[in-house]
């Protein structure tokens, strides 16, 4: 009889363990939230797809049709005690989808000195088979003919482009060895997070910088990148310079 | 009495909980089995995709379903025919959507769990994402992932099967791809006469035995037992077809030292997979051996070092070698009903 009761109790315990997500069993957390908003801008103004005409530093005019990029593997660092809090999440920022421009992460409440994130999708996620959510191939950010995620996509038109329909198309990717375009972006700024509260971080992505960072991109000369390799690396290097923290609001 | 109450309570607890947690229907787990003396696969392809009867059956249905292609005529099985060891029988290139041709010879499907990369150039890094390539290629199935999901989601039979396999009746790309991987990853070739000889349940003829010795001396370095490939990329000295201008592995790695390198194909089921080479340029095994004997283009800088001096196979040796290679034919795999289209959804014959 007693054995049966113990059995019954164990079943309860067991079922409880399965039904409850692990984190709910721990004591109440001392966590808060950061809401990160990406503002894609050119000349200080929000990027307007299709309609706005922009001019790059080489006096080439262009319209943007698509602007999408992956942000993942966040890190929040406390410089004084040399501690880094990692947050392994992956998001697709898509200028055509307002709801994708803000993301919220849960982090321990404290005062951080800087934040970092991976611009792109890490090699593990690139080689782990079929994914869903932000990484669903339906998002049109996966190369079907050469497995791997397109980390950044910038497409549009320009009269200076000499290819079909005056297009330009930069599909920037590559996660392996020499051809890896992955870089961690560190943004230096005090970020205080209080328990249970949300701190907003506004990140400005100045897309205008893309054209003339370490590598000058003239649409007339380089209208297309569609494979991993040396060109993709240079373009990714340019892309990595566009981010800065515009504001932190508690 | 007390015991009865306790049992009743126990039943309520267990029954009640399974209802509350909306647990998926019971799954029938399967295990990938292969001979004990085989090497372990480099990674467990089912580590994040537990192999189940439900997933396998669903993957099979998808594999034989023309609706995965744009016009309904090009299921996976149109280029991967079971009787040809899941290659395209007697075709150098396979037929795709709208009278198009593929650019390479369709490789057979078996023992995929041992391949770190798939395709002749190793373009695909995981079995689960492989179907995305033929599915979306204009000269293969020519369909979009959105459309395929729309078609599948409109079919209640599929919704039932996805619910059974993955606990979710809403069909998404991830579950579709995982189901296909469960089917294709389960196709194992390990019961040819060669395998039976290794197990001790059959024995080679004199000629086969002699051929085996020749094989071990002259072929095994690349077509390594027991998979009969080392799954590496090598240039075997074929002249480039200028119309195709196919540089193989280099197209993926951008590395000039990979120029003209292609994946070493397995020799298993060789007699069922003619024509041969990445572009199907050779119709017979005699032609293949003639190439290794004196057809190799030794001027190519990336030619495999093992082929610099060609492979001397005399005509007498050729007879025995071919006899041995025939023992790699796995009739059981090719006729296994488990891998065949079932009557209720017999595949639409593609254009051949």
């Amino acid at each position: 009889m007693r054995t049966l009761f113990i059995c019954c109790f164990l079943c309860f315990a067991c079922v409880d363990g399965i039904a409850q997500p692990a984190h709910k069993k721990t004591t109440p957390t001392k966590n808060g939230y950061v809401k990160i908003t990406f503002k894609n801008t050119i000349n200080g103004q929000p990027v307007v797809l299709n309609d706005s005409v922009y001019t790059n530093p080489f006096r080439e005019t262009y319209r943007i049709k698509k602007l999408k990029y992956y942000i993942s593997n966040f890190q929040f660092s406390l410089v004084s005690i040399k501690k880094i809090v990692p947050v392994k999440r992956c998001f697709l920022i898509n200028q055509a989808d307002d709801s994708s421009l803000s993301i919220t992460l849960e982090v321990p409440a404290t005062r951080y000195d800087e934040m970092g994130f991976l611009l792109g999708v890490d090699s593990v996620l690139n080689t782990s088979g079929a994914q869903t959510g932000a990484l669903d191939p339906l998002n049109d950010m996966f190369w079907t003919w050469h497995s791997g995620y397109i980390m950044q996509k910038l497409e549009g038109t320009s009269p200076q482009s000499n290819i079909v329909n005056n297009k330009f198309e930069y599909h920037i990717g590559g996660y392996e060895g020499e051809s890896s375009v992955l870089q961690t972006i560190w943004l230096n700024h005090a970020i205080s997070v209080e328990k249970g509260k949300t701190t907003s971080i506004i990140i400005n992505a100045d897309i205008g910088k893309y054209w003339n960072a370490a590598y000058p991109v003239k649409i007339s000369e380089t209208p297309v990148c569609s494979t991993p390799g040396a060109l993709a690396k240079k373009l990714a290097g340019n892309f990595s310079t566009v981010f800065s923290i515009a504001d932190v609001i508690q | 009495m007390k015991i009865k109450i306790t049992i009743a309570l126990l039943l309520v607890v267990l029954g009640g909980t399974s209802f509350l947690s909306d647990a998926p229907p019971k799954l029938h787990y399967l295990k990938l089995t292969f001979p004990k003396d085989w090497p372990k696969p480099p990674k467990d392809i089912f580590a994040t995709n537990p192999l189940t009867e439900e997933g396998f059956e669903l993957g099979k249905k998808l594999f034989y379903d023309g609706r995965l292609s744009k016009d309904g005529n090009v299921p996976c099985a149109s280029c991967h025919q079971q009787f040809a060891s899941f290659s395209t029988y007697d075709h150098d290139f396979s037929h795709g959507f709208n009278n198009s041709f593929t650019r390479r010879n369709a490789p057979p499907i078996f023992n995929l769990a041992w391949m770190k990369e798939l395709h002749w150039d190793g373009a695909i890094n995981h079995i689960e994402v492989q179907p995305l390539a033929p599915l979306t290629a204009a000269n293969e199935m020519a369909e979009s992932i959105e459309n395929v999901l729309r078609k599948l989601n409109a079919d209640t039979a599929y919704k039932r099967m996805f619910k059974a396999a993955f606990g979710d009746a809403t069909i998404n790309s991830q579950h579709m791809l995982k189901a296909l991987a469960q089917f294709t990853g389960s196709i194992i070739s390990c019961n040819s006469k060669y395998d039976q000889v290794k197990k001790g349940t059959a024995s080679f003829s004199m000629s086969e035995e002699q051929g085996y010795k020749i094989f071990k001396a002259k072929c095994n370095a690349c077509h390594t037992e027991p998979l009969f490939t080392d799954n590496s990329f090598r240039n075997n000295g074929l002249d480039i077809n200028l119309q195709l201008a196919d540089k193989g592995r280099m197209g993926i790695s951008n590395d000039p030292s990979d120029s003209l390198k292609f994946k070493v194909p397995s020799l298993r089921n060789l007699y069922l997979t003619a024509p041969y080479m990445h572009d199907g340029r050779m119709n017979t095994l005699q032609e293949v051996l003639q190439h290794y004997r004196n057809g190799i283009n030794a001027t190519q800088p990336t030619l495999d070092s093992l082929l610099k001096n060609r492979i001397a196979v005399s005509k007498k040796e050729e007879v025995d070698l071919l006899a041995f290679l025939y023992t790699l034919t796995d009739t059981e795999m090719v006729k296994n009903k488990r891998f065949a289209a079932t009557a209720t959804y017999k595949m639409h014959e593609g254009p051949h």
Side-chain angles (χ1 to χ4, degrees):
Chain A
M1 186 61 225
R2 186 180 286 174
T3 322
L4 203 55
F5 262 112
I6 292 169
C7 269
C8 187
F9 175 75
L10 281 176
C11 278
F12 263 115
C14 217
V15 165
D16 187 57
I18 291 165
Q20 296 289 325
H23 68 265
K24 287 202 177 162
K25 293 189 90 179
T26 57
T27 48
T29 59
K30 292 177 178 166
N31 288 352
Y33 303 91
V34 288
K35 181 186 178 195
I36 308 171
T37 301
F38 285 84
K39 287 196 168 162
N40 298 311
T41 62
I42 291 177
N43 301 327
Q45 296 301 309
V47 167
V48 177
L49 297 179
N50 302 314
D51 296 333
S52 286
V53 178
Y54 302 105
T55 307
N56 72 12
F58 312 105
R59 294 191 179 171
E60 297 173 317
T61 57
Y62 63 97
R63 292 169 195 264
I64 298 178
K65 282 188 167 173
K66 280 185 193 170
L67 172 61
K68 295 160 94 172
Y69 50 90
Y70 278 111
I71 298 290
S72 65
N73 300 9
F74 298 84
Q75 302 180 69
F76 294 86
S77 90
L78 298 109
V79 173
S80 55
I81 56 168
K82 292 187 176 170
K83 192 184 166 186
I84 288 179
V85 177
V87 185
K88 271 231 166 217
R89 299 278 302 276
C90 183
F91 297 92
L92 176 61
I93 306 297
N94 178 3
Q95 184 62 17
D97 175 7
D98 282 345
S99 70
S100 75
L101 304 178
S102 287
I103 61 185
T104 300
L105 308 173
E106 187 177 345
V107 292
T110 185
R111 185 181 182 281
Y112 298 99
D113 306 297
E114 53 183 350
M115 68 165 288
F117 55 82
L118 187 71
L119 180 56
V121 179
D122 68 23
S123 62
V124 174
L125 281 173
N126 264 285
T127 52
S128 299
Q131 308 290 321
T132 191
L135 294 168
D136 192 316
L138 272 178
N139 293 323
D140 210 16
M141 294 291 279
F142 188 81
W143 276 312
T144 57
W145 54 275
H146 179 186
S147 306
Y149 285 95
I150 299 168
M151 314 289 185
Q152 298 116 40
K153 201 177 231 192
L154 179 64
E155 291 183 17
T157 56
S158 164
Q160 280 74 34
S161 163
N162 53 21
I163 63 166
V164 63
N165 294 337
N166 299 111
K167 290 204 302 186
F168 66 83
E169 266 191 25
Y170 305 108
H171 294 182
I172 304 165
Y175 61 88
E176 266 179 317
E178 277 291 292
S179 63
S180 172
V181 299
L182 294 169
Q183 356 194 0
T184 297
I185 313 290
W186 281 103
L187 302 174
N188 201 296
H189 201 293
I191 301 165
S192 288
V193 181
E194 283 183 42
K195 184 184 153 189
K197 292 188 177 168
T198 300
T199 299
S200 284
I201 303 172
I202 313 294
I203 292 183
N204 181 33
D206 181 358
I207 305 302
K209 282 188 181 171
Y210 166 79
W211 305 99
N212 196 15
Y215 175 74
V217 188
K218 289 183 184 164
I219 298 171
S220 56
E221 288 170 8
T222 315
V224 181
C225 176
S226 58
T227 56
L231 175 62
K233 274 187 88 153
K234 287 176 185 166
L235 299 178
N238 280 10
F239 213 98
S240 70
T241 66
V242 308
F243 301 97
S244 61
I245 291 185
D247 207 354
V248 174
I249 309 155
Q250 248 187 295
Chain B
M1 183 59 200
K2 262 187 182 172
I3 291 175
K4 272 186 186 165
I5 292 170
T6 315
I7 290 171
L9 187 66
L10 195 66
L11 290 173
V12 166
V13 167
L14 293 175
T17 310
S18 86
F19 170 74
L20 282 175
S21 62
D22 193 23
K26 195 169 161 40
L27 290 164
H28 299 85
Y29 289 97
L30 301 171
K31 205 167 170 257
L32 195 67
T33 52
F34 52 87
K36 283 194 188 74
D37 53 342
W38 279 27
K40 271 200 158 165
K43 63 181 175 195
D44 177 4
I45 57 168
F46 298 124
T48 56
N49 182 20
L51 185 59
T52 64
E53 188 62 34
E54 290 77 9
F56 172 90
E57 282 299 324
L58 174 55
K60 180 161 86 171
K61 184 173 161 79
L62 291 164
F63 186 85
Y64 285 101
D65 194 336
R67 282 176 289 177
L68 268 66
S69 68
K70 188 169 183 172
D71 63 358
N73 283 331
V74 196
C76 308
S78 75
C79 298
H80 298 285
Q81 303 162 310
Q82 187 181 9
F83 64 87
S85 182
F86 293 101
S87 69
T88 313
Y89 185 73
D90 195 29
H91 280 61
D92 47 1
F93 304 115
S94 305
H95 299 269
F97 173 71
N98 200 18
N99 295 318
S100 57
F101 275 122
T102 58
R103 291 182 70 244
R104 291 182 182 142
N105 185 249
I109 297 176
F110 56 79
N111 303 348
L112 300 188
W114 285 266
M115 296 186 185
K116 276 193 219 144
E117 299 100 356
L118 298 124
H119 287 194
W120 279 105
D121 55 8
I124 308 297
N125 67 22
H126 195 289
I127 185 173
E128 287 173 15
V129 296
Q130 191 282 335
L132 293 170
L135 211 143
T136 58
N139 61 340
E140 298 187 51
M141 298 159 84
E143 187 52 293
S144 70
I145 306 159
E146 287 91 335
N147 278 342
V148 171
L149 293 177
R150 198 162 26 242
K151 285 184 258 186
L152 298 181
N153 270 307
D155 181 331
T156 51
Y158 266 121
K159 289 180 85 74
R160 232 182 359 257
M161 288 178 82
F162 273 92
K163 171 83 177 164
F166 298 105
D168 188 355
T170 305
I171 300 162
N172 67 21
S173 67
Q174 187 182 40
H175 290 158
M176 177 183 77
L177 294 169
K178 282 183 183 287
L180 277 164
Q182 290 200 26
F183 175 66
T184 56
S186 294
I187 302 171
I188 301 288
S189 175
C190 66
N191 200 19
S192 63
K193 180 174 182 184
Y194 160 85
D195 297 299
Q196 290 164 11
V197 171
K198 286 284 162 183
K199 273 187 286 191
T201 58
S203 52
F204 284 139
S205 70
M206 292 268 282
S207 178
E208 289 162 355
E209 184 68 47
Q210 197 56 35
Y212 185 32
K213 281 184 192 148
I214 297 161
F215 165 82
K216 282 198 282 193
K218 302 187 175 180
C219 316
N220 193 49
C222 304
H223 296 284
T224 316
E225 290 177 89
L227 298 164
F228 290 88
T229 171
D230 64 356
N231 284 314
S232 63
F233 300 93
R234 297 173 189 260
N235 174 0
N236 67 346
L238 295 169
D239 284 320
I240 189 165
N241 176 328
L242 291 172
Q243 272 183 308
L244 293 168
D246 189 346
K247 299 269 181 75
R249 182 70 179 155
M250 182 180 153
I252 295 304
S253 68
N254 290 324
D255 183 348
S257 72
D258 283 336
S259 176
L260 304 178
K261 289 185 183 175
F262 293 89
K263 194 172 203 203
V264 175
S266 173
L267 300 185
R268 286 180 172 272
N269 294 324
L270 194 63
Y271 271 76
L272 305 172
T273 60
Y276 304 104
M277 303 296 160
H278 65 274
D279 53 8
R281 69 176 69 181
M282 293 175 191
N283 286 315
T284 65
L285 291 172
Q286 284 82 357
E287 281 175 71
V288 173
L289 290 173
Q290 185 63 22
H291 168 73
Y292 288 119
R293 194 183 281 124
N294 61 17
I296 289 169
N297 180 344
T299 65
Q300 292 169 350
T302 59
L303 177 68
D304 199 84
S305 58
L306 294 169
L307 296 174
K308 290 254 149 66
N309 298 318
R310 300 174 179 172
I311 302 177
V313 181
S314 72
K315 284 287 178 187
K316 163 72 179 75
E317 287 176 323
E318 181 174 307
V319 173
D320 294 333
L321 185 55
L322 292 178
F324 166 71
L325 292 175
Y326 190 72
T327 71
L328 300 179
T329 309
D330 186 348
T331 312
E332 186 200 273
M333 184 202 102
V334 168
K335 293 195 170 163
N336 191 340
K337 288 211 161 56
R338 196 166 156 64
F339 302 137
T342 46
T344 49
Y345 50 89
K346 202 170 182 337
M347 68 169 274
H348 188 297
E349 283 295 333
H352 293 293

